[in-house]
Amino acid sequence: MDLNLDVRYLKGVGPARAKLLKALDIKTVKDLLFFFPRDYIDLTPVKLKEAIEDQKTTFFLEVKEPGQDLITRSGIVLTKIPVTDGENNANLVFFNQPYIKSNLFKNEKLIVIGKLRKNFGEYEILSPQYYKVKEDIKKINKILPVYSLTRGLTQKNLQKIIEGAFRDYYLLLKSEEILPQFITQKYDLMPKAKAVYEMHFPKNWDSLKKAKDSLAFEELLIFQMGMRATKEYLLGKKRSNIYRDFNLSPFLNNLPFKLTRGQKRVLKEILQDLNSEKVMNRLLQGDVGSGKTVVAASIIYLAYKNGYQSAFMAPTEILAQQHYENLNKFLNPFGTKVEILKGNMGAKRKEILEKIKKNQISVVVGTHALLQEDVEFANLGLVITDEQHRFGVRQREELVKKGFYPDVMVMSATPIPRTLALTLYADLDISIINEMPKGRKKIATYLVNSELKHRVYKFMISEVEKGHQVYIICPAVEKNNFGLLSVEEKYDEIVKEFPDLKVGILHGKLKNAEKDKVMEDFLSKKIQVLISTTVVEVGVDVPNATLIIIENAERFGLAQLHQLRGRVGRGNLDSCCILITDSREEDARERLKVLLKTSDGFEIAQKDLELRGPGEFLGEKQHGLPEFKFAGYINNLKMIEETKKLADFIYDKGLIKTKEFEKIREIVSERIRHL
Ligand code: ADP
Ligand code: MG
């Protein structure tokens, strides 16, 4: 018996089911045992009359009679299904899903999960989730795991298969333990096999939490040890690119402004790196608009003067284009050749690649396109990635490998609270620009609900009449049932209401060339109002834009809203940000109010972290933090810090070399093998 056994040989699986499981990426018994539920449902039912309105609740209900459709004036089909809990009656209400009627029969027993509302004295549960139950409710476990499924496989099937697998393989699972006993004891962790079992069949909420925490602990510890190992490795890396010329004066004297103190300090830190014996690995953090690009340009200038090529990677083509233009502006006076590599350039690409290889181009800007194999440098000495949260460590390393121990600078405008940054970017040194260029105006920020829409539009028109430009941000691209306003609907609305306005539309589903065209038109003022998703979030610089209107503001994280707000106020014009939300949840409004009080990105990030907890804060891809399988499970910062301390302890005391750590050692060295 072996955990790597093909699942098809498991009892109750066979070739047909094995195929279905494969669609879920489950190939071996081990994959199956580690295929955790995506959610859990509390099956302790509440009586209708005891439920708190507007709060997600579980009910145990029986269908009283077949459902009926109602068509509203606005053309929505409402399907109402009368149900009872034995004492009180209610209606399940579904929107535009008339087929539900034919799925729910009289006397059918249901577990229903949803928010209860009173409507003219009648109970209603709007768009609930429901599960049919055949057995007596008492026999069902109190916590129902919910797995991601694929067509042809039911929750029940999967549960049965997993149950069977545990019967035969539980003992083997014990060999998956990688933590030494002194750690599990000291931190009160569940043994691995038990934790894995508990994830599928939780006894109660407390034991489920402990199981998750235990697995998260292991994951974080491995991560922290990987960081430590990387750092150890990098620290030992000797510089091979020698800098002799450190004179930045020609470059700085040519700028139309003076550097801020923050920029100067950061440059000093960077120059020290370049003057040291070790390769630079530095994270440059600075709030939106703090002027990171010019810092990047300064060191690119130095690299050029010392004979090295630079690669500058941006997350989107729009940004790459903008950096390309800026770098040209900054560096052309010194004869530095700057080029851009884009996705589809046709024959031109070959020509550029040839020149890069022959060292006829000193700076190459681009997106992921830079990572492609055929991009070869003659003498790549400096790698800069902008808005690092869009790139993984892997990608950074891929670019690094194109040079010979190049210096690396990672720039991020998404402030991460210092404690987090220190632990999560433990492989980088950190520099922070903590100051804005002088003369920046505060961006007036307002929180309104959509009833005020027409006043907002009036304001928008007055801005346009002044010759300024406006962004409107929506969370979705197309019309949808999630209550998210879409770019397309907004576009139709604005065009209809203001036929003379020049309106543009921008979102991720457009082709790159189309996106570029729209951005160009916005920059050259051919578009007055740009309706967009968050694709404009990072870095785009249009100083003439003075108003940003953000719809469904509650749907965005604070840090993200702060980024969006940073799209305006980039010139010397008075600017304004209007957050629109109809959310009635007090939490959501409180959260948004943080933005009215402060414009300090670090403070906002700290608040975001406190209010939502690191689970959600870190969960957001935009922070570029590693994706943890258990990220959603991390509920306190403490564990991140704890594991960091433990990892340092294990290294500092030399424990990493002992037998107890053999398994961890293997995993960690596997992780950093690509370096
Ligand atoms: P970010 O840090 O968000 O990438 P940018 O580098 O795009 O910010 O800079 C924002 C704007 O501020 C640019 O137009 C840039 O030219 C300008 N800028 C940068 N540094 C200074 C400075 N020291 N004084 C005045 N303007 C500056
Ligand atoms: Mg930038």
Coordinates of all heavy atoms in Angstrom, one line a residue, residues 437-491:
P437 N 6.1 64.1 -3.1 CA 6.6 65.3 -3.6 C 5.8 66.5 -3.2 O 4.6 66.4 -2.9 CB 6.5 65.1 -5.1 CG 6.5 63.7 -5.3 CD 5.8 63.1 -4.1
K438 N 6.4 67.7 -3.0 CA 5.7 68.9 -2.5 C 4.7 69.3 -3.5 O 4.7 69.0 -4.7 CB 6.8 70.0 -2.4 CG 7.4 70.0 -1.1 CD 7.9 71.5 -0.8 CE 9.1 71.4 0.2 NZ 10.4 71.0 -0.4
G439 N 3.7 70.0 -2.9 CA 2.7 70.6 -3.8 C 1.5 69.6 -4.2 O 0.6 70.0 -4.9
R440 N 1.6 68.4 -3.7 CA 0.5 67.5 -4.0 C -0.7 67.9 -3.2 O -0.6 68.2 -2.0 CB 0.9 66.0 -3.6 CG 1.8 65.3 -4.5 CD 1.1 64.9 -5.8 NE 2.1 64.8 -6.9 CZ 2.9 63.8 -7.0 NH1 2.9 62.8 -6.2 NH2 3.8 63.8 -8.0
K441 N -1.8 67.9 -3.9 CA -3.0 68.3 -3.2 C -3.7 67.1 -2.6 O -3.6 66.0 -3.2 CB -4.0 69.0 -4.2 CG -3.4 70.2 -4.8 CD -4.4 71.4 -4.7 CE -3.7 72.7 -5.0 NZ -3.9 73.3 -6.3
K442 N -4.4 67.3 -1.5 CA -5.1 66.2 -0.9 C -6.3 65.9 -1.9 O -6.9 66.8 -2.5 CB -5.7 66.7 0.4 CG -6.1 65.6 1.3 CD -6.3 66.1 2.7 CE -6.9 65.0 3.6 NZ -8.2 64.5 3.3
I443 N -6.7 64.7 -2.0 CA -7.8 64.3 -2.9 C -9.0 64.3 -2.0 O -9.2 63.4 -1.1 CB -7.5 63.0 -3.5 CG1 -6.2 63.0 -4.3 CG2 -8.7 62.6 -4.4 CD1 -5.7 61.6 -4.7
A444 N -10.0 65.2 -2.3 CA -11.2 65.2 -1.5 C -11.9 63.9 -1.7 O -12.2 63.6 -2.9 CB -12.0 66.4 -1.9
T445 N -12.3 63.2 -0.7 CA -13.0 61.9 -0.9 C -14.4 61.9 -0.2 O -14.5 62.5 0.9 CB -12.1 60.9 -0.2 OG1 -10.8 61.0 -0.8 CG2 -12.7 59.5 -0.5
Y446 N -15.3 61.4 -0.9 CA -16.7 61.4 -0.4 C -17.3 60.0 -0.5 O -17.0 59.2 -1.4 CB -17.6 62.3 -1.2 CG -17.1 63.8 -1.2 CD1 -16.3 64.2 -2.3 CD2 -17.4 64.6 -0.2 CE1 -15.8 65.5 -2.3 CE2 -16.9 65.9 -0.2 CZ -16.1 66.4 -1.2 OH -15.6 67.6 -1.2
L447 N -18.2 59.7 0.5 CA -18.9 58.4 0.5 C -20.3 58.7 0.3 O -20.9 59.4 1.1 CB -18.6 57.7 1.8 CG -19.2 56.3 2.0 CD1 -18.7 55.4 1.0 CD2 -19.0 55.8 3.4
V448 N -21.0 58.3 -0.8 CA -22.4 58.6 -1.0 C -23.1 57.3 -1.4 O -22.5 56.3 -1.8 CB -22.5 59.6 -2.1 CG1 -21.8 60.9 -1.8 CG2 -22.1 59.1 -3.5
N449 N -24.4 57.3 -1.4 CA -25.2 56.2 -2.0 C -25.7 56.6 -3.3 O -25.7 57.7 -3.7 CB -26.2 55.6 -1.0 CG -27.2 56.6 -0.5 OD1 -27.5 57.6 -1.3 ND2 -27.6 56.5 0.7
S450 N -26.2 55.6 -4.0 CA -26.5 55.8 -5.5 C -27.7 56.7 -5.7 O -27.9 57.2 -6.8 CB -26.6 54.5 -6.2 OG -27.7 53.8 -5.7
E451 N -28.4 57.0 -4.6 CA -29.5 58.0 -4.8 C -28.9 59.4 -5.3 O -29.6 60.2 -5.9 CB -30.3 58.2 -3.5 CG -31.3 57.1 -3.3 CD -31.8 57.1 -1.9 OE1 -31.7 58.2 -1.2 OE2 -32.2 56.0 -1.4
L452 N -27.7 59.6 -4.9 CA -27.1 60.9 -5.2 C -26.4 60.9 -6.6 O -25.7 61.8 -7.0 CB -26.1 61.3 -4.2 CG -26.6 61.6 -2.8 CD1 -25.5 62.0 -1.8 CD2 -27.7 62.7 -2.9
K453 N -26.7 59.8 -7.3 CA -26.0 59.7 -8.6 C -26.1 60.9 -9.5 O -25.1 61.3 -10.1 CB -26.7 58.5 -9.3 CG -26.0 58.0 -10.5 CD -26.5 56.7 -11.0 CE -27.8 56.8 -11.7 NZ -28.3 55.5 -12.2
H454 N -27.3 61.5 -9.6 CA -27.4 62.6 -10.5 C -26.6 63.9 -10.1 O -26.1 64.6 -10.9 CB -28.9 62.9 -10.8 CG -29.5 61.8 -11.5 ND1 -29.3 61.6 -12.9 CD2 -30.2 60.7 -11.1 CE1 -29.9 60.5 -13.3 NE2 -30.5 60.0 -12.2
R455 N -26.5 64.0 -8.8 CA -25.6 65.1 -8.4 C -24.2 64.8 -8.7 O -23.4 65.7 -9.1 CB -25.8 65.3 -6.9 CG -27.0 66.2 -6.6 CD -27.2 66.4 -5.1 NE -26.1 67.0 -4.4 CZ -26.0 67.2 -3.1 NH1 -27.0 66.7 -2.4 NH2 -25.0 67.8 -2.6
V456 N -23.8 63.5 -8.6 CA -22.4 63.1 -8.9 C -22.2 63.4 -10.4 O -21.2 63.9 -10.8 CB -22.2 61.6 -8.6 CG1 -20.9 61.2 -9.1 CG2 -22.3 61.4 -7.1
Y457 N -23.2 63.0 -11.2 CA -23.1 63.3 -12.7 C -22.9 64.7 -13.0 O -22.2 65.1 -13.9 CB -24.3 62.7 -13.4 CG -24.3 61.2 -13.5 CD1 -25.4 60.5 -13.9 CD2 -23.1 60.4 -13.2 CE1 -25.4 59.1 -14.0 CE2 -23.1 59.1 -13.2 CZ -24.3 58.4 -13.7 OH -24.3 57.0 -13.7
K458 N -23.7 65.5 -12.3 CA -23.6 67.0 -12.5 C -22.2 67.5 -12.3 O -21.6 68.3 -13.0 CB -24.6 67.7 -11.6 CG -25.5 68.7 -12.3 CD -26.6 69.1 -11.4 CE -26.7 70.6 -11.3 NZ -27.8 71.0 -10.4
F459 N -21.6 67.0 -11.2 CA -20.3 67.3 -10.8 C -19.3 66.9 -11.9 O -18.4 67.6 -12.3 CB -19.9 66.7 -9.4 CG -18.6 67.1 -9.0 CD1 -18.2 68.4 -8.9 CD2 -17.7 66.1 -8.6 CE1 -16.9 68.7 -8.4 CE2 -16.4 66.4 -8.1 CZ -16.0 67.7 -8.1
M460 N -19.6 65.6 -12.4 CA -18.7 65.1 -13.4 C -18.7 66.0 -14.6 O -17.7 66.3 -15.2 CB -19.2 63.7 -13.8 CG -18.6 63.1 -15.0 SD -19.3 61.4 -15.3 CE -20.7 61.8 -16.3
I461 N -19.9 66.4 -15.0 CA -20.0 67.3 -16.2 C -19.3 68.6 -16.0 O -18.6 69.1 -16.9 CB -21.5 67.5 -16.6 CG1 -22.2 66.2 -17.0 CG2 -21.7 68.5 -17.7 CD1 -21.6 65.5 -18.1
S462 N -19.4 69.1 -14.8 CA -18.7 70.4 -14.6 C -17.2 70.2 -14.7 O -16.5 71.1 -15.1 CB -19.2 71.0 -13.2 OG -18.5 70.3 -12.1
E463 N -16.7 69.1 -14.2 CA -15.3 68.8 -14.4 C -14.9 68.7 -15.8 O -13.9 69.3 -16.3 CB -14.9 67.5 -13.7 CG -14.7 67.6 -12.2 CD -13.7 68.7 -11.7 OE1 -12.6 68.6 -12.1 OE2 -14.1 69.6 -11.0
V464 N -15.7 68.0 -16.6 CA -15.4 67.9 -18.0 C -15.4 69.2 -18.7 O -14.6 69.5 -19.6 CB -16.4 66.9 -18.7 CG1 -16.3 66.9 -20.2 CG2 -16.2 65.5 -18.1
E465 N -16.4 70.1 -18.3 CA -16.5 71.4 -18.9 C -15.2 72.2 -18.6 O -14.9 73.1 -19.4 CB -17.8 72.1 -18.5 CG -19.0 71.6 -19.3 CD -20.3 72.0 -18.7 OE1 -20.3 72.6 -17.6 OE2 -21.3 71.7 -19.4
K466 N -14.6 71.9 -17.5 CA -13.3 72.6 -17.2 C -12.2 72.1 -18.0 O -11.0 72.5 -17.8 CB -13.0 72.5 -15.7 CG -13.8 73.4 -14.8 CD -13.2 73.2 -13.4 CE -14.3 73.4 -12.3 NZ -14.0 72.7 -11.1
G467 N -12.5 71.1 -18.8 CA -11.4 70.5 -19.6 C -10.7 69.3 -18.9 O -9.7 68.8 -19.4
H468 N -11.2 68.9 -17.7 CA -10.6 67.8 -17.0 C -11.2 66.5 -17.4 O -12.2 66.4 -18.1 CB -10.8 68.0 -15.5 CG -10.2 69.3 -15.0 ND1 -10.6 69.9 -13.8 CD2 -9.3 70.2 -15.6 CE1 -9.9 71.0 -13.7 NE2 -9.2 71.2 -14.7
Q469 N -10.6 65.4 -16.9 CA -11.1 64.1 -17.3 C -11.5 63.3 -16.1 O -11.1 63.6 -14.9 CB -10.0 63.3 -18.0 CG -9.8 63.9 -19.5 CD -8.5 63.5 -20.1 OE1 -7.4 64.0 -19.6 NE2 -8.5 62.6 -21.0
V470 N -12.3 62.2 -16.3 CA -12.9 61.5 -15.2 C -12.8 60.0 -15.5 O -12.9 59.5 -16.6 CB -14.4 61.9 -15.2 CG1 -15.2 61.1 -14.1 CG2 -14.6 63.4 -15.0
Y471 N -12.6 59.3 -14.3 CA -12.7 57.8 -14.4 C -14.0 57.4 -13.7 O -14.3 58.0 -12.6 CB -11.6 57.2 -13.5 CG -10.1 57.3 -14.0 CD1 -9.3 58.3 -13.4 CD2 -9.6 56.5 -15.0 CE1 -8.0 58.4 -13.8 CE2 -8.3 56.6 -15.4 CZ -7.5 57.6 -14.8 OH -6.2 57.6 -15.2
I472 N -14.6 56.4 -14.2 CA -15.7 55.7 -13.5 C -15.3 54.3 -13.4 O -15.0 53.6 -14.4 CB -17.0 55.9 -14.2 CG1 -17.4 57.3 -14.4 CG2 -18.1 55.1 -13.3 CD1 -18.8 57.5 -15.0
I473 N -15.2 53.8 -12.1 CA -14.8 52.4 -12.0 C -15.9 51.5 -11.5 O -16.7 51.8 -10.6 CB -13.7 52.3 -10.8 CG1 -12.6 53.3 -11.1 CG2 -13.2 50.9 -10.7 CD1 -11.8 53.0 -12.4
C474 N -16.1 50.4 -12.2 CA -17.1 49.4 -11.9 C -16.5 48.1 -11.6 O -15.4 47.7 -12.2 CB -18.1 49.2 -13.0 SG -19.0 50.7 -13.5
P475 N -17.1 47.3 -10.7 CA -16.4 46.0 -10.3 C -16.5 44.9 -11.4 O -15.8 43.9 -11.3 CB -17.1 45.6 -9.0 CG -18.4 46.3 -9.0 CD -18.2 47.6 -9.8
A476 N -17.5 45.0 -12.3 CA -17.7 43.9 -13.2 C -17.6 44.4 -14.7 O -17.7 45.6 -15.0 CB -19.0 43.2 -13.0
V477 N -17.3 43.5 -15.6 CA -17.3 43.8 -17.0 C -18.7 43.8 -17.6 O -19.1 44.7 -18.3 CB -16.4 42.9 -17.8 CG1 -16.3 43.2 -19.3 CG2 -15.0 42.9 -17.2
E478 N -19.4 42.7 -17.4 CA -20.7 42.5 -18.0 C -21.8 42.4 -17.0 O -21.5 42.2 -15.8 CB -20.7 41.1 -18.8 CG -19.8 41.1 -20.0 CD -19.4 39.7 -20.4 OE1 -19.9 38.7 -19.7 OE2 -18.7 39.5 -21.4
K479 N -23.0 42.6 -17.5 CA -24.2 42.5 -16.7 C -24.2 41.1 -16.0 O -23.7 40.1 -16.5 CB -25.4 42.6 -17.6 CG -26.7 42.9 -16.9 CD -27.7 43.2 -18.0 CE -29.1 42.9 -17.3 NZ -30.0 43.8 -17.0
N480 N -24.6 41.1 -14.7 CA -24.5 39.9 -13.9 C -25.5 39.8 -12.9 O -26.2 40.8 -12.6 CB -23.1 39.8 -13.3 CG -22.8 41.0 -12.4 OD1 -23.4 41.1 -11.3 ND2 -22.0 41.9 -12.9
N481 N -25.6 38.7 -12.2 CA -26.6 38.5 -11.2 C -26.0 38.6 -9.8 O -26.7 38.3 -8.8 CB -27.2 37.1 -11.3 CG -28.0 37.0 -12.5 OD1 -28.7 37.9 -13.0 ND2 -28.0 35.8 -13.1
F482 N -24.8 39.2 -9.7 CA -24.2 39.3 -8.3 C -24.4 40.6 -7.7 O -23.8 41.0 -6.7 CB -22.7 39.0 -8.4 CG -22.4 37.7 -9.2 CD1 -21.7 37.7 -10.3 CD2 -22.8 36.5 -8.7 CE1 -21.4 36.6 -11.0 CE2 -22.6 35.3 -9.3 CZ -21.8 35.4 -10.5
G483 N -25.2 41.4 -8.4 CA -25.4 42.8 -7.8 C -24.2 43.7 -8.1 O -24.1 44.7 -7.4
L484 N -23.4 43.3 -9.0 CA -22.2 44.2 -9.3 C -22.5 45.0 -10.6 O -22.9 44.5 -11.6 CB -21.0 43.3 -9.6 CG -20.6 42.4 -8.5 CD1 -19.3 41.6 -8.9 CD2 -20.2 43.2 -7.2
L485 N -22.3 46.3 -10.4 CA -22.5 47.2 -11.6 C -21.4 46.9 -12.6 O -20.2 46.7 -12.2 CB -22.4 48.6 -11.1 CG -23.0 49.6 -12.0 CD1 -24.5 49.3 -12.3 CD2 -22.9 51.0 -11.4
S486 N -21.8 46.8 -13.9 CA -20.8 46.5 -14.9 C -20.4 47.7 -15.7 O -21.2 48.6 -15.9 CB -21.3 45.4 -15.8 OG -22.3 45.9 -16.6
V487 N -19.2 47.6 -16.2 CA -18.7 48.6 -17.1 C -19.6 48.8 -18.3 O -19.9 49.9 -18.7 CB -17.3 48.2 -17.6 CG1 -16.8 49.1 -18.7 CG2 -16.3 48.2 -16.4
E488 N -20.1 47.7 -18.8 CA -20.9 47.8 -20.0 C -22.3 48.5 -19.8 O -22.7 49.3 -20.6 CB -21.2 46.4 -20.6 CG -19.9 45.9 -21.2 CD -20.0 44.5 -21.8 OE1 -21.1 43.9 -21.8 OE2 -19.0 44.0 -22.4
E489 N -22.9 48.2 -18.7 CA -24.2 48.8 -18.3 C -23.9 50.3 -18.1 O -24.7 51.2 -18.5 CB -24.8 48.2 -17.1 CG -25.4 46.9 -17.2 CD -25.6 46.2 -15.9 OE1 -24.6 45.8 -15.2 OE2 -26.8 46.1 -15.5
K490 N -22.9 50.6 -17.4 CA -22.6 52.0 -17.1 C -22.3 52.8 -18.4 O -22.8 53.9 -18.5 CB -21.3 52.1 -16.2 CG -21.1 53.4 -15.5 CD -22.0 53.4 -14.3 CE -22.4 54.8 -13.8 NZ -23.4 54.7 -12.7
Y491 N -21.6 52.2 -19.2 CA -21.3 52.8 -20.5 C -22.6 53.2 -21.2 O -22.8 54.3 -21.7 CB -20.5 51.9 -21.4 CG -20.1 52.5 -22.7 CD1 -19.0 53.3 -22.9 CD2 -20.8 52.1 -23.9 CE1 -18.7 53.9 -24.1 CE2 -20.5 52.7 -25.1 CZ -19.4 53.5 -25.2 OH -19.1 54.0 -26.4

